[in-house]
Amino acid sequence: MKNKICFIGGGNMASSLIGGLINNAYASELISATDPDKGKLDQLAQQFSINVTTDNQTAVQGADVIVLAVKPQVLAEVCNSIKEALQGKPALIISIAAGIRSTDIDRWLGNNNAIVRCMPNTPSLIQAGATGLYANPQTSATQKDAAEQILAAAGITLWVEDEALLDAVTAVSGSGPAYFFLFMEAMQRAGTQLGLDEKTAGLLAKQTALGAARMALEGEDDPATLRAKVTSKGGTTAAAIASFEANGFEQIIQQALSAARDRAIELADELGKQ
Ligand SMILES: NC(=O)c1ccc[n+]([C@@H]2O[C@H](COP(=O)([O-])OP(=O)(O)OC[C@H]3O[C@@H](n4cnc5c(N)ncnc54)[C@H](OP(=O)(O)O)[C@@H]3O)[C@@H](O)[C@H]2O)c1
């Protein structure tokens, strides 16, 4: 694909996506980035040989794809700053800003834009991300492919048909890394209480998480089958699983994810008022 891609905001996520694109042999001369911080831009230019500028309006002119990679709190102001430069020059808008609905972005930019809204997660920073994507009705199939190509540079991509489902994506994978970190922390502490030193318990917990995730992703079996295979009747794993179940593990997870989904809706309502 030969799209000119302009990243507004040259922070962590932009840098990760640009790095992924360059690794996938995307032409660096087709990529540009903007940021108020000249130092950050110099670093991006040096690392990836892309075009950089502090001027958002100049940067978006001639771009086929504009990636909004700024914090949600400044997105309205950024859209306002590029609105005029986009008039009569339709481009695909990709927003990775957490929690801002496509309808709000469309309103801030002037109506009728092709917008793909994405919900990536933190492992995107090491190209192991999971991103949910939603395309508004103005987005063409070719533009959807372009969006997927950019986000796939940071991990796996999955489309949802209904934008409201991005709140569920937020609850599962957006906030999800923190749940697994919490689980690792708890396993490390429990291992320490059982007599292991902290470092050993921590490493065992982390490597076990990695191994389990790889088996679930790379093998034929689903997680329930994998679990059944390692849970012998009357054994140690069965004792632990019975304890989890007796303490309402399933309900704890369901309630936590519902709380995350509800908070995502509240935040989108608040941020959309900007
Ligand atoms: N990091 C993640 O794991 C993750 C996961 C999911 C979603 N996201 C979303 O991705 C977006 C970017 O996150 P991030 O972690 O990359 O944030 P970040 O590192 O703070 O990057 C945002 C960059 O935008 C710059 N910026 C601020 N105002 C600007 C303007 N008017 N024009 C151009 N650039 C401007 C910021 O500069 P200053 O620092 O000088 O303000 C900063 O360098 C956020 O909306 C976040 O919700 C991130």
Side-chain angles (χ1 to χ4, degrees):
M1 232 171 263
K2 291 255 186 269
N3 283 316
K4 278 191 173 177
I5 308 171
C6 171
F7 287 83
I8 307 282
N12 295 316
M13 280 300 289
S15 156
S16 171
L17 290 170
I18 294 166
L21 284 167
I22 302 283
N23 281 345
N24 292 344
Y26 206 92
S28 57
E29 61 271 20
L30 293 175
I31 302 175
S32 64
T34 78
D35 200 278
D37 183 341
K38 185 99 179 37
K40 234 179 246 179
L41 291 178
D42 288 345
Q43 208 181 331
L44 285 172
Q46 205 178 6
Q47 194 176 358
F48 301 121
S49 306
I50 59 164
N51 305 301
V52 293
T53 172
T54 53
D55 183 352
N56 289 346
Q57 288 186 38
T58 314
V60 296
Q61 281 165 14
D64 304 299
V65 181
I66 295 159
V67 184
L68 302 172
V70 294
K71 293 280 187 216
Q73 293 75 7
V74 298
L75 191 58
E77 174 198 320
V78 162
C79 288
N80 207 32
S81 76
I82 58 173
K83 186 177 174 171
E84 268 188 31
L86 289 179
Q87 291 304 313
K89 298 176 199 122
L92 168 65
I93 309 293
I94 299 178
S95 169
I96 61 166
I100 309 245
R101 296 187 180 113
S102 65
T103 42
D104 292 317
I105 296 169
D106 200 36
R107 180 164 44 82
W108 295 332
L109 284 174
N111 295 323
N112 223 21
N113 296 280
I115 299 174
V116 171
R117 181 184 152 201
C118 309
M119 186 60 219
N121 64 4
T122 314
S124 301
L125 302 177
I126 57 161
Q127 269 82 43
T131 300
L133 302 99
Y134 163 79
N136 75 351
Q138 287 87 338
T139 310
S140 69
T142 316
Q143 287 174 319
K144 278 180 78 176
D145 287 345
E148 193 166 321
Q149 185 188 21
I150 294 169
L151 273 301
I156 65 157
T157 52
L158 297 156
W159 289 94
V160 293
E161 290 298 319
D162 175 358
E163 184 166 4
L165 287 175
L166 282 185
D167 297 323
V169 170
T170 302
V172 176
S173 55
S175 302
Y179 315 156
F180 287 99
F181 297 143
L182 182 71
F183 205 83
M184 287 180 220
E185 285 173 63
M187 278 179 69
Q188 179 178 21
R189 267 195 296 274
T192 310
Q193 272 165 17
L194 295 175
L196 294 170
D197 66 77
E198 211 174 271
K199 197 173 158 201
T200 302
L203 201 52
L204 287 173
K206 286 183 270 190
Q207 178 67 17
T208 303
L210 174 68
R214 283 195 57 193
M215 283 180 79
L217 273 170
E218 295 168 14
E220 297 284 301
D221 294 332
D222 62 20
T225 309
L226 287 168
R227 177 166 59 83
K229 280 185 177 173
V230 296
T231 312
S232 342
K233 210 169 167 212
T236 56
T237 313
I241 303 261
S243 170
F244 277 134
E245 284 172 353
N247 286 296
F249 186 74
E250 189 81 27
Q251 293 93 305
I252 289 173
I253 304 294
Q254 270 174 20
Q255 282 171 17
L257 266 66
S258 294
R261 192 268 323 270
D262 294 349
R263 184 65 187 135
I265 295 169
E266 277 172 15
L267 283 172
D269 287 343
E270 284 167 27
L271 290 164
K273 286 185 194 139
Q274 287 178 79

